[in-house]
Structures are given as C-alpha cells and as structure tokens.
Amino acid sequence: MNVSVVIPLYNEEENVLELHKSLKSVLDALALEYEILFVDDGSTDDTLLKLQDIQSDDNHVVIIVLRRNFGQTAAFAAGFEHAHGDIIITMDGDLQNDPRDIPKLLERTKHHDLVSGWRKQRKDPFFSRRLPSFIANWLISKVTGIKLHDYGCSLKAYRREVIKNLNLYGEMHRFIPAVASWYGITIDEVETAHHPRRKGASKYSLTRTLRVILDLITVKFLQSFSTKPLQFFGPFGIGSGFLGFLISLYLTIEKLFYGKDIGGRPLLLLGILLIIVGVQFIGMGLLGEMVVRVYHETQKKPIYVIKKIIDSK
Ligand code: UDP
Ligand code: MG
C-alpha cells in the first residue's frame, strides 16, 4: 500500500459523491496503490448511505463510522489508526481542498517527512474565519517555533512514521507539525488551491479559535515542560515566595522596631498571599515530578526517538 487518503466527514451528503469522483481521477492517474478512508464522524444526514453507494463500486474505499460526532481531530486519529499507506494524506470532505494538489504534495514527501498545504488565496469569510486564523497562525508559530503560514489547512501529506507516534485529542490536529517536530522530522509547505464551500454548512464558529488557543497552551506545556515540571513551576514559586517573604520581613521590622500597627494593612495580605502562592507552585512542580516519574516507570516509553540502528553483526 503506497498512499492512504484520510477524510473526515460530518454531514457532507451533498459533497461526498463529487469529492470521491475528483479524488479518484487524481489517484488513478498516479498509478500507485492507494486507499481512501472516509471517516464518518457521526453524521445525521445521508453521508453514510452515500459512502456505501460509493464503496459498492470502488474497492479502494474504506469507511470508518464513529459512534457519534467526536470532532475533526478524533476523526483524523481514527483514520490514521487504520491507514496502511507509507504516505498518509489528509484533506477536508467539503471540496474546499482540491485533490489536484495531491501529486504536488506527494512529490515533496520524497524529501520531507511532512508536507503542509498553504491556502494562500483562502476563500473563506474574512471576520469569522480569516482574521481569527491569521491571529491563531501568528500565535502558533510564535509559541511552537515552527514557521508555517497556515496551520489550519487540512490538506497535508505525512510519512507514515510521523503520525504513528502521535496521540491526538482536542483540536490538536493543527499542531501535528509542532508536536511531530519534537521527533526531529522535516517539514515543508506548498501553496495549494482553496475553494469556497459550495454545499453543506461549515461546522465551526468563533469558539473554535478559543479551543485552539487552549490546546496551544497544552501543546506548549507538553512540548517544553512535561518532563521537568518543577523547573517550570519552581521559578514562579520561588519568585512569589521570596517577594512575600520580603514584604513580611519589612512589616515585621515595622512592627517590632517602630511599633507600628500592621494588622489592617493591605500589604500584609499581599505578603501572605504571595507566600501561599509560592508554596502552591512548588507543590505543583513536585506533584508534577511525581506524575512524570510514575508515568515513565509504568509506561516504559522512551523519551527519545531512534532514527535507525546500524547493526554490523
Ligand atoms: N468535520 C468533522 N467533524 C466535525 C466537524 C467537521 O469530521 O465535528 C469535517 C467536515 O465534514 C469537513 C472538515 O471536517 O470535512 C472541515 O470542516 P468544515 O468545513 O466545517 O470547517 P471549515 O472549513 O469551515 O473550517
Ligand atoms: Mg470547510
């Protein structure tokens, strides 16, 4: 099996037939072994019926049906789990991505582990889509240090090894490049076409931007500090505790040597608060260390990834 195409579908009954048709013409022309994995993410319309129709005369098609609507990231994860290709391609099921870009992406996977589409001429509404995603893209590249123009583009190609080690949830699929970069993979970006959605409705609203930002915080945290929580929380704890200590010391001197009344002073409250917060942070760091330790001892998962082993035997 050479190529697997993974497509999440949620109520796309009006799009699947045309999608399959254009995808098939592109893939057949490439003359390689392929499979198309349609993941029905709990559609309540006739998406599944349409898929079964398609499958009845195309044995390249695999249908994965999720029990309910789990979201696009989960649908991708389910597809990845069952994909057999050496190269795995993802795209949206609403015809906004163009299958005709696939050969271009495939070509680049000869030199890169992950090739991401860039919807340079994006055909989506400005205020609800392009503006929030402009801000999100800027934030993601600042925080993760991976420089891509368009994290939200579903059209991507991965070498198999890239996705097989990932643990996806939330809105994480857009962070695959960032997460996978930890494994030392190379990333490339190519301009791809983008079309307005002609049929069916978009499944997302502005609240997605919020969820994306929360997931970004998680990714950053896992990426940089998950193996050393005390080093992350510790400095805040020490800083806060030390400041609290100085304030309390100052107040104590005022009380003991100058006989001033400190009981009603806001500064006293602040000093105590800072000390408590400091202790909390250190506690969180230590707790984190314990979790990390237990995790590594029970999971026995290595915290490194081997490129290859040369055995001269
Ligand atoms: N999708 C999905 N599960 C969801 C939401 C969306 O599988 O809960 C699919 C949807 O059918 C489409 C793709 O994810 O194939 C992108 O969704 P959409 O076009 O609504 O997002 P937009 O392009 O508006 O950002
Ligand atoms: Mg869309």
Side-chain angles (χ1 to χ4, degrees):
M1 183 62 61
N2 285 320
V3 173
S4 300
V5 183
V6 174
I7 304 181
L9 298 165
Y10 180 47
N11 293 343
E12 304 286 359
E13 63 179 2
E14 294 166 285
N15 290 314
V16 283
L17 284 176
E18 197 184 329
L19 171 69
H20 172 256
K21 216 173 96 200
S22 62
L23 192 58
K24 190 168 170 56
S25 71
V26 169
L27 293 172
D28 283 341
L30 284 170
L32 33 79
E33 248 185 272
Y34 71 89
E35 63 180 357
I36 303 172
L37 296 108
F38 287 114
V39 185
D40 176 15
D41 184 17
S43 296
T44 50
D45 66 358
D46 284 340
T47 300
L48 182 57
L49 284 177
K50 295 265 160 76
L51 288 177
Q52 284 167 319
D53 259 4
I54 293 170
Q55 194 182 39
S56 63
D57 15 77
D58 182 359
N59 56 12
H60 292 107
V61 170
V62 179
I63 306 171
I64 298 171
V65 187
L66 303 188
R67 271 186 177 268
R68 60 170 176 85
N69 177 238
F70 285 94
Q72 201 182 348
T73 297
F76 277 133
F80 290 163
E81 183 78 39
H82 295 88
H84 297 96
D86 301 321
I87 303 290
I88 288 137
I89 292 172
T90 55
M91 62 187 290
D92 281 346
D94 57 358
L95 291 163
Q96 289 202 264
N97 296 134
D98 197 325
R100 283 171 295 184
D101 285 318
I102 289 178
K104 191 155 70 173
L105 266 78
L106 278 179
E107 187 55 35
R108 302 267 188 127
T109 56
K110 290 182 182 150
H111 309 287
H112 296 277
D113 303 307
L114 192 168
V115 182
S116 181
W118 169 18
R119 300 164 293 178
K120 200 170 176 189
Q121 313 276 329
R122 195 169 163 188
K123 302 291 190 324
D124 275 325
F126 180 76
F127 279 107
S128 63
R129 274 301 131 75
R130 283 174 15 233
L131 181 67
S133 98
F134 180 79
I135 298 168
N137 281 327
W138 179 81
L139 257 181
I140 296 172
S141 78
K142 276 273 164 294
V143 172
T144 62
I146 308 295
K147 302 277 172 274
L148 286 183
H149 290 92
D150 186 7
Y151 293 86
C153 182
S154 291
L155 183 56
K156 289 190 172 72
Y158 307 87
R159 285 200 197 153
R160 183 181 183 76
E161 318 84 82
V162 176
I163 52 140
K164 286 296 170 181
N165 281 314
L166 297 173
N167 184 7
L168 298 177
Y169 50 89
E171 287 287 321
M172 298 273 185
H173 65 271
R174 68 198 65 242
F175 303 123
I176 294 177
V179 175
S181 73
W182 184 86
Y183 296 97
I185 66 155
T186 62
I187 301 173
D188 192 16
E189 192 174 40
V190 291
E191 283 176 34
T192 51
H194 193 244
H195 306 293
R197 188 189 253 280
R198 273 175 290 141
K199 291 178 184 147
S202 169
K203 278 64 189 187
Y204 291 111
S205 62
L206 267 179
T207 58
R208 176 172 59 177
T209 312
L210 267 183
R211 284 185 282 136
V212 167
I213 288 170
L214 289 175
D215 280 344
L216 176 64
I217 297 172
T218 312
V219 167
K220 178 65 190 173
F221 180 74
L222 292 178
Q223 199 183 24
S224 347
F225 305 112
S226 64
T227 55
K228 35 186 188 325
L230 189 55
Q231 289 179 30
F232 177 67
F233 291 114
F236 294 107
I238 292 173
S240 169
F242 187 63
L243 203 63
F245 169 76
L246 286 184
I247 290 172
S248 310
L249 187 69
Y250 165 74
L251 289 174
T252 309
I253 291 170
E254 290 233 299
K255 171 83 186 167
L256 287 183
F257 296 101
Y258 301 96
K260 287 195 185 154
D261 189 13
I262 59 167
R265 293 177 64 176
L267 204 57
L268 180 66
L269 219 61
L270 181 67
I272 294 170
L273 192 71
L274 285 172
I275 292 175
I276 293 175
V277 166
V279 172
Q280 289 279 335
F281 269 124
I282 303 275
M284 256 147 74
L286 288 172
L287 198 66
E289 291 289 335
M290 269 161 68
V291 172
V292 169
R293 192 177 192 117
V294 169
Y295 176 80
H296 285 301
E297 271 168 19
T298 53
Q299 294 290 306
K300 297 270 180 253
K301 269 195 190 158
I303 53 160
Y304 51 81
V305 184
I306 295 172
K307 190 170 179 188
K308 59 180 167 186
I309 295 175
I310 302 171
D311 191 343
S312 56
K313 219 168 17 215

